[in-house]
Amino acid sequence: MKKNLLLTLLLIFLMVMNGVLLYLTFKEPNKKPRPPRDFIFKELNFTEEQQMKFQEVNAEHHRKMRDIDKHTQELKELLFSNLGSTDFLDQELDSITSRIGHLSEEREKEIFSFFNTLERMCDAEQKRKLKRIVRGALRPPGPGRGGPPPPHR
């Protein structure tokens, strides 16, 4: 019974998060975000060589993230296609949600690996700025918070 409650809570959490994502996506459909690489180039004052290396690393990172996101979306579609099905077993629910959890773990590891690689490309001053940017991005959104901190001059 405890396992079913945990899975039900996880399922509700995932549904709420998807709803929030959809709301944020459609809230301002014409507003196009600035590419993160432009922000990073500007804030870290990358050299031409660093920019070229970053573009390579960034392209690979985005490929991996798209693959993870695609697989996650397929699993979520499979999960919710069984909504209300009497043939869908708790064991199948456990298996799918467990695989979604593993993909989430892969996603977080990939993000960490990307920033770790980025940090190794930086000189001492750029590393300091990057740490400030990452700390700002990790803050929870809210009034006056969220997103990267303003440029330090």
Side-chain angles (χ1 to χ4, degrees):
M1 181 66 184
K2 220 174 204 181
K3 193 172 187 179
N4 286 341
L5 177 63
L6 179 63
L7 291 174
T8 301
L9 291 174
L10 176 63
L11 186 60
I12 290 169
F13 172 76
L14 290 173
M15 288 173 31
V16 168
M17 293 307 293
N18 281 335
V20 168
L21 180 61
L22 286 173
Y23 171 76
L24 293 174
T25 301
F26 292 115
K27 180 178 164 186
E28 296 183 37
N30 295 331
K31 185 177 178 183
K32 294 188 178 188
R34 189 172 73 195
R37 70 175 163 263
D38 291 346
F39 174 78
I40 290 174
F41 288 171
K42 183 179 176 193
E43 285 298 307
L44 298 181
N45 200 18
F46 271 173
T47 65
E48 278 293 317
E49 183 181 332
Q50 286 174 316
Q51 287 181 24
M52 289 173 48
K53 178 67 177 167
F54 174 78
Q55 287 175 343
E56 292 172 19
V57 170
N58 191 48
E60 180 63 17
H61 168 68
H62 280 279
R63 185 195 62 75
K64 288 178 181 177
M65 294 298 284
R66 276 192 305 274
D67 288 347
I68 291 169
D69 290 345
K70 180 182 176 207
H71 196 162
T72 301
Q73 185 60 35
E74 290 169 354
L75 287 171
K76 287 181 180 181
E77 287 173 7
L78 175 62
L79 181 67
F80 287 100
S81 69
N82 286 292
L83 200 61
S85 172
T86 57
D87 297 336
F88 193 61
L89 304 174
D90 285 344
Q91 190 174 11
E92 292 171 297
L93 175 64
D94 291 349
S95 174
I96 293 171
T97 55
S98 177
R99 291 180 1 213
I100 291 171
H102 288 297
L103 287 169
S104 179
E105 179 183 357
E106 278 184 47
R107 189 176 208 290
E108 295 304 318
K109 285 179 179 178
E110 173 55 32
I111 292 168
F112 179 82
S113 175
F114 170 74
F115 280 103
N116 200 32
T117 301
L118 184 60
E119 195 260 351
R120 287 193 307 266
M121 293 171 36
C122 295
D123 62 28
E125 177 64 18
Q126 291 169 330
K127 286 179 183 182
R128 187 186 63 75
K129 289 179 181 179
L130 179 63
K131 286 182 190 228
R132 186 181 50 79
I133 291 168
V134 170
R135 275 194 314 268
L138 291 175
R139 280 186 272 158
R145 298 180 296 190
H152 181 68
R153 305 242 182 226

